[in-house]
Amino acid sequence: MFPKLDPILHSELRLAVISLLAGVESADFTYIKQQTGATAGNLSVQLDKLSAAGYITVEKGFKGKMPRTTCTLTPAGLEAFRKYIDALKEYISH
Amino acid sequence: MTASESLALITETMNNNSKEIIRRGGKYFILWGILLTCFSLLVYALWKSTGHAYWNNLWFAMPLVGYPLARMIRSKEEPAMATNAVSRIVSGIWTSFGVFACSVAAFSVLYSFLGNSPLGKIAVGAGLTASIVLLFGLAETISGVALKNWAIKIAGFVTGIGSLAIYYITGANEEQMFIFTLAGIVLAATGFIVKRQNK
């Protein structure tokens, strides 16, 4: 019996965002957009879904006069990511 | 997505992210390398033409020029920033280097004012050039360890140990400025290598 893949993570853009955030302490919205190649609208929707699942925190603020959105992976997000990778390894090894 | 495609996506995203952060660090190596080269040649030229070692005090102007330029580079990146433990450690290493290098230079100035007083004797023992090149080599080598980059590690050893050897061979005169010129060239070259490796 294969383990179930987390549907929140099993989406190309959301998985890319979590993979990126797993390697940093925090990242700005623009950085994530540049690195994933996503459109601002789509990325914003996917970040909301990840945030609603408790996998990331999204902080909106200002740096000087410029608006700034910073995303950080939560411990729950890291744990879900770890389980997702373990599940993928199970799929591949069978 | 299949399981293989998911794993490939994870691997690619993580690798690209790591490369991007290291590539950005390369800009600061280039900036400080160029500044170090320019200042060393300027101090050498003024020292040689006037015969006065006090032109060494010009080194204090380097951070005054460098930090605003570094801030300018950073402000251009600011809308799209990401930090990880490695970038934070490398930034800490070079900030510490700046503080230690300025302290060593301050001792030298102190000596020039205090002459033969006990404090002056402590200061002359500091050996300005030798101390700074060692600190510089150490900072670069540790950066290489943090960034897992052999080019930076080797450059750090060459700069620190090599420059120290040159210092003791040539002695304390204006020609010792070429040690900083070498260190600056090595640092800037390392920055270019890091940027190319992580394109």
Side-chain angles (χ1 to χ4, degrees):
Chain A
M1 178 84 176
F2 287 115
K4 197 168 173 266
L5 288 173
D6 185 339
I8 299 286
L9 293 185
H10 199 60
S11 133
E12 201 169 326
L13 182 51
R14 289 197 293 269
L15 183 59
V17 170
I18 292 287
S19 306
L20 191 152
L21 291 177
V24 297
E25 288 170 343
S26 63
D28 288 353
F29 180 88
T30 315
Y31 181 82
I32 300 171
K33 185 169 158 281
Q34 280 175 2
Q35 290 300 105
T36 58
T39 62
N42 191 14
L43 180 59
S44 191
V45 170
Q46 305 310 328
L47 288 180
D48 283 345
K49 285 186 182 174
L50 288 168
S51 176
Y55 290 177
I56 64 167
T57 56
V58 180
E59 278 179 40
K60 296 193 181 201
F62 282 88
K63 176 83 181 176
K65 288 180 181 172
M66 299 289 287
R68 188 178 198 180
T69 303
T70 309
C71 302
T72 312
L73 190 66
T74 63
L78 188 62
E79 180 61 16
F81 184 53
R82 196 186 58 76
K83 282 183 180 165
Y84 182 81
I85 291 173
D86 288 343
L88 288 179
K89 284 178 185 166
E90 285 275 310
Y91 275 85
I92 288 170
S93 62
H94 286 92
Chain B
M1 278 193 300
T2 65
S4 309
E5 283 169 346
S6 293
L7 271 181
L9 175 71
I10 292 167
T11 310
E12 192 189 340
T13 308
M14 288 182 126
N15 283 344
N16 287 346
N17 185 41
S18 164
K19 280 183 174 183
E20 175 63 17
I21 289 176
I22 296 172
R23 193 185 63 78
R24 287 178 176 208
K27 285 182 196 169
Y28 299 99
F29 280 64
I30 295 169
L31 168 71
W32 289 107
I34 290 171
L35 281 177
L36 192 59
T37 305
C38 293
F39 269 84
S40 62
L41 292 175
L42 183 63
V43 172
Y44 167 77
L46 293 168
W47 189 350
K48 179 101 179 158
S49 61
T50 63
H52 293 301
Y54 59 60
W55 287 108
N56 272 292
N57 291 331
L58 261 183
W59 285 110
F60 285 110
M62 197 171 91
L64 298 179
V65 177
Y67 281 114
L69 287 173
R71 274 188 73 90
M72 209 168 76
I73 293 173
R74 199 176 160 81
S75 68
K76 277 189 183 172
E77 282 174 356
E78 225 141 48
M81 285 283 288
T83 55
N84 65 5
V86 172
S87 62
R88 197 161 40 79
I89 289 167
V90 171
S91 163
I93 291 167
W94 286 97
T95 306
S96 306
F97 165 73
V99 172
F100 277 88
C102 283
S103 306
V104 174
F107 264 108
S108 171
V109 173
L110 194 70
Y111 171 69
S112 64
F113 286 119
L114 298 173
N116 287 325
S117 72
L119 263 177
K121 281 179 183 141
I122 296 168
V124 74
L128 183 63
T129 306
S131 306
I132 291 179
V133 291
L134 261 186
L135 285 171
F136 187 88
L138 182 69
E140 194 167 2
T141 307
I142 298 172
S143 300
V145 173
L147 293 166
K148 294 179 186 167
N149 187 301
W150 275 101
I152 303 174
K153 282 186 225 175
I154 293 166
F157 273 110
V158 169
T159 309
I161 308 297
S163 299
L164 196 65
I166 295 169
Y167 172 77
Y168 280 110
I169 293 164
T170 59
N173 52 42
E174 67 271 19
E175 258 110 51
Q176 67 179 277
M177 285 305 116
F178 291 132
I179 296 169
F180 290 118
T181 310
L182 168 74
I185 291 168
V186 171
L187 185 67
T190 311
F192 281 114
I193 292 169
V194 166
K195 280 192 80 173
R196 273 181 73 100
Q197 279 178 342
N198 293 284
K199 257 189 178 171

